[in-house]
Amino acid sequence: MPNCTEEAAADLRAVHASVGAPAVAAVLNGLNACVLCYGQTGSGKTHTMFGDGGPNLGLVPRCCHELLDAIGHRRLLGFSARLSVAYVEIYGAEVTDLLRGGASIGSSAPDQAPTSERLELAAPPHGRPHGRACHRGSGRTRRRARRA
Protein backbone atom coordinates (compact mmCIF):
# COMPACT_ATOMS: atom_id res chain seq x y z
CA MET A 1 0.00 0.00 0.00
CA PRO A 2 1.43 3.43 -0.93
CA ASN A 3 2.26 5.79 1.91
CA CYS A 4 1.02 9.37 2.17
CA THR A 5 4.17 10.78 0.55
CA GLU A 6 3.87 8.48 -2.46
CA GLU A 7 0.20 9.40 -2.85
CA ALA A 8 1.00 13.13 -2.64
CA ALA A 9 3.78 12.76 -5.23
CA ALA A 10 1.43 10.84 -7.53
CA ASP A 11 -1.20 13.56 -7.13
CA LEU A 12 1.33 16.29 -7.99
CA ARG A 13 2.45 14.36 -11.08
CA ALA A 14 -1.19 13.96 -12.12
CA VAL A 15 -1.86 17.69 -11.71
CA HIS A 16 1.18 18.48 -13.83
CA ALA A 17 0.12 15.99 -16.50
CA SER A 18 -3.42 17.35 -16.71
CA VAL A 19 -2.79 21.09 -16.19
CA GLY A 20 0.90 21.95 -16.33
CA ALA A 21 2.03 19.98 -19.37
CA PRO A 22 -0.69 21.42 -21.65
CA ALA A 23 0.12 24.97 -20.45
CA VAL A 24 3.83 24.40 -21.13
CA ALA A 25 3.04 22.97 -24.58
CA ALA A 26 0.94 26.05 -25.37
CA VAL A 27 3.77 28.37 -24.36
CA LEU A 28 6.29 26.39 -26.42
CA ASN A 29 3.95 26.76 -29.39
CA GLY A 30 3.92 30.55 -29.03
CA LEU A 31 0.68 30.99 -27.09
CA ASN A 32 0.04 32.56 -23.70
CA ALA A 33 -0.85 30.32 -20.79
CA CYS A 34 -2.25 30.88 -17.33
CA VAL A 35 -2.59 28.57 -14.36
CA LEU A 36 -5.07 29.72 -11.75
CA CYS A 37 -5.36 28.01 -8.40
CA TYR A 38 -8.16 28.94 -6.03
CA GLY A 39 -9.95 27.55 -3.02
CA GLN A 40 -10.59 28.08 0.63
CA THR A 41 -7.85 28.41 3.23
CA GLY A 42 -6.18 25.09 3.96
CA SER A 43 -7.43 23.35 0.82
CA GLY A 44 -3.94 22.66 -0.57
CA LYS A 45 -3.37 25.46 -3.09
CA THR A 46 0.20 26.19 -2.00
CA HIS A 47 1.07 22.49 -1.85
CA THR A 48 -0.35 21.95 -5.32
CA MET A 49 1.51 24.91 -6.77
CA PHE A 50 4.88 24.41 -5.00
CA GLY A 51 4.99 20.93 -3.48
CA ASP A 52 6.57 20.11 -0.15
CA GLY A 53 9.89 21.89 -0.63
CA GLY A 54 11.58 18.52 -1.07
CA PRO A 55 11.50 15.95 -3.83
CA ASN A 56 7.74 16.30 -4.39
CA LEU A 57 7.71 19.28 -6.75
CA GLY A 58 4.52 21.21 -7.29
CA LEU A 59 3.17 22.67 -10.50
CA VAL A 60 5.26 25.87 -10.58
CA PRO A 61 8.72 24.28 -10.29
CA ARG A 62 7.76 21.42 -12.63
CA CYS A 63 6.54 23.84 -15.30
CA CYS A 64 9.56 26.12 -14.85
CA HIS A 65 11.98 23.22 -15.21
CA GLU A 66 10.12 21.90 -18.25
CA LEU A 67 9.98 25.31 -19.94
CA LEU A 68 13.59 26.22 -19.25
CA ASP A 69 14.85 22.80 -20.37
CA ALA A 70 12.83 22.99 -23.60
CA ILE A 71 13.98 26.55 -24.32
CA GLY A 72 17.59 25.54 -23.66
CA HIS A 73 17.26 22.61 -26.05
CA ARG A 74 15.72 24.81 -28.75
CA ARG A 75 18.53 27.37 -28.36
CA LEU A 76 21.07 24.60 -28.98
CA LEU A 77 19.23 23.94 -32.25
CA GLY A 78 19.57 27.61 -33.24
CA PHE A 79 16.15 28.89 -32.25
CA SER A 80 15.74 32.02 -30.18
CA ALA A 81 13.22 32.30 -27.37
CA ARG A 82 11.96 34.95 -25.02
CA LEU A 83 10.00 34.08 -21.92
CA SER A 84 8.17 36.51 -19.66
CA VAL A 85 6.30 35.68 -16.49
CA ALA A 86 3.69 37.48 -14.43
CA TYR A 87 2.96 36.07 -11.00
CA VAL A 88 0.19 37.58 -8.88
CA GLU A 89 -1.85 36.61 -5.88
CA ILE A 90 -5.46 37.72 -5.53
CA TYR A 91 -6.82 37.66 -2.00
CA GLY A 92 -10.17 39.30 -1.50
CA ALA A 93 -9.95 42.64 -3.27
CA GLU A 94 -6.15 42.86 -2.91
CA VAL A 95 -3.87 41.97 -5.82
CA THR A 96 -0.22 41.35 -4.97
CA ASP A 97 2.65 41.15 -7.44
CA LEU A 98 4.74 38.24 -6.16
CA LEU A 99 7.67 39.02 -8.48
CA ARG A 100 8.07 42.41 -6.81
CA GLY A 101 8.52 41.27 -3.23
CA GLY A 102 4.82 41.09 -2.49
CA ALA A 103 4.16 44.72 -3.44
CA SER A 104 0.54 45.61 -4.02
CA ILE A 105 -0.17 46.21 -7.67
CA GLY A 106 0.24 49.93 -8.21
CA SER A 107 2.80 50.38 -5.44
CA SER A 108 6.51 49.79 -5.78
CA ALA A 109 9.00 47.33 -4.38
CA PRO A 110 11.96 48.84 -2.51
CA ASP A 111 14.23 48.60 -5.59
CA GLN A 112 11.75 50.12 -8.04
CA ALA A 113 10.42 53.61 -8.65
CA PRO A 114 6.87 54.30 -7.47
CA THR A 115 4.15 53.95 -10.03
CA SER A 116 0.60 55.16 -10.14
CA GLU A 117 -0.49 52.24 -12.32
CA ARG A 118 -3.22 50.08 -10.86
CA LEU A 119 -4.14 46.61 -11.92
CA GLU A 120 -6.89 46.75 -14.49
CA LEU A 121 -8.95 43.61 -14.83
CA ALA A 122 -10.69 43.70 -18.17
CA ALA A 123 -13.00 41.45 -20.14
CA PRO A 124 -12.72 42.44 -23.80
CA PRO A 125 -15.47 41.59 -26.28
CA HIS A 126 -13.90 38.21 -27.12
CA GLY A 127 -14.40 37.25 -23.47
CA ARG A 128 -10.84 36.59 -22.23
CA PRO A 129 -10.25 38.59 -19.04
CA HIS A 130 -6.72 39.81 -18.47
CA GLY A 131 -4.77 41.96 -16.06
CA ARG A 132 -2.41 44.82 -16.81
CA ALA A 133 0.19 46.69 -14.77
CA CYS A 134 1.85 43.67 -13.21
CA HIS A 135 5.59 43.14 -13.46
CA ARG A 136 6.74 40.65 -16.02
CA GLY A 137 9.87 38.92 -14.85
CA SER A 138 12.85 37.98 -16.93
CA GLY A 139 16.60 37.54 -16.37
CA ARG A 140 16.76 37.54 -12.58
CA THR A 141 13.41 35.74 -12.42
CA ARG A 142 14.69 32.93 -14.66
CA ARG A 143 17.61 32.39 -12.31
CA ARG A 144 15.17 32.15 -9.38
CA ALA A 145 13.02 29.66 -11.31
CA ARG A 146 16.03 27.45 -12.04
CA ARG A 147 16.72 27.26 -8.29
CA ALA A 148 13.16 26.05 -7.60
Side-chain angles (χ1 to χ4, degrees):
M1 177 166 188
N3 65 32
C4 186
T5 303
E6 290 169 348
E7 289 175 6
D11 288 345
L12 291 172
R13 284 191 301 272
V15 169
H16 178 261
S18 65
V19 176
V24 169
V27 169
L28 292 173
N29 285 309
L31 302 173
N32 293 327
C34 173
V35 175
L36 176 70
C37 187
Y38 68 95
Q40 73 183 69
T41 301
S43 63
K45 298 176 298 294
T46 301
H47 178 74
T48 299
M49 295 303 281
F50 296 101
D52 62 10
N56 297 327
L57 297 176
L59 195 56
V60 171
R62 285 176 193 265
C63 289
C64 287
H65 289 296
E66 189 176 353
L67 273 172
L68 294 173
D69 288 347
I71 288 171
H73 179 71
R74 282 167 173 74
R75 284 189 174 150
L76 291 174
L77 296 173
F79 294 95
S80 64
R82 191 172 130 230
L83 178 67
S84 66
V85 176
Y87 186 49
V88 299
E89 175 183 68
I90 303 170
Y91 184 78
E94 207 169 301
V95 181
T96 305
D97 189 335
L98 298 174
L99 293 178
R100 292 178 55 210
S104 293
I105 300 295
S107 68
S108 62
D111 63 340
Q112 295 184 358
T115 175
S116 60
E117 265 186 310
R118 291 277 182 227
L119 179 67
E120 174 189 329
L121 294 176
H126 53 73
R128 288 191 236 156
H130 63 279
R132 292 188 201 133
C134 55
H135 180 73
R136 284 188 166 73
S138 59
R140 188 174 54 163
T141 306
R142 283 194 294 262
R143 287 189 292 280
R144 283 186 200 151
R146 283 191 185 274
R147 283 185 251 144

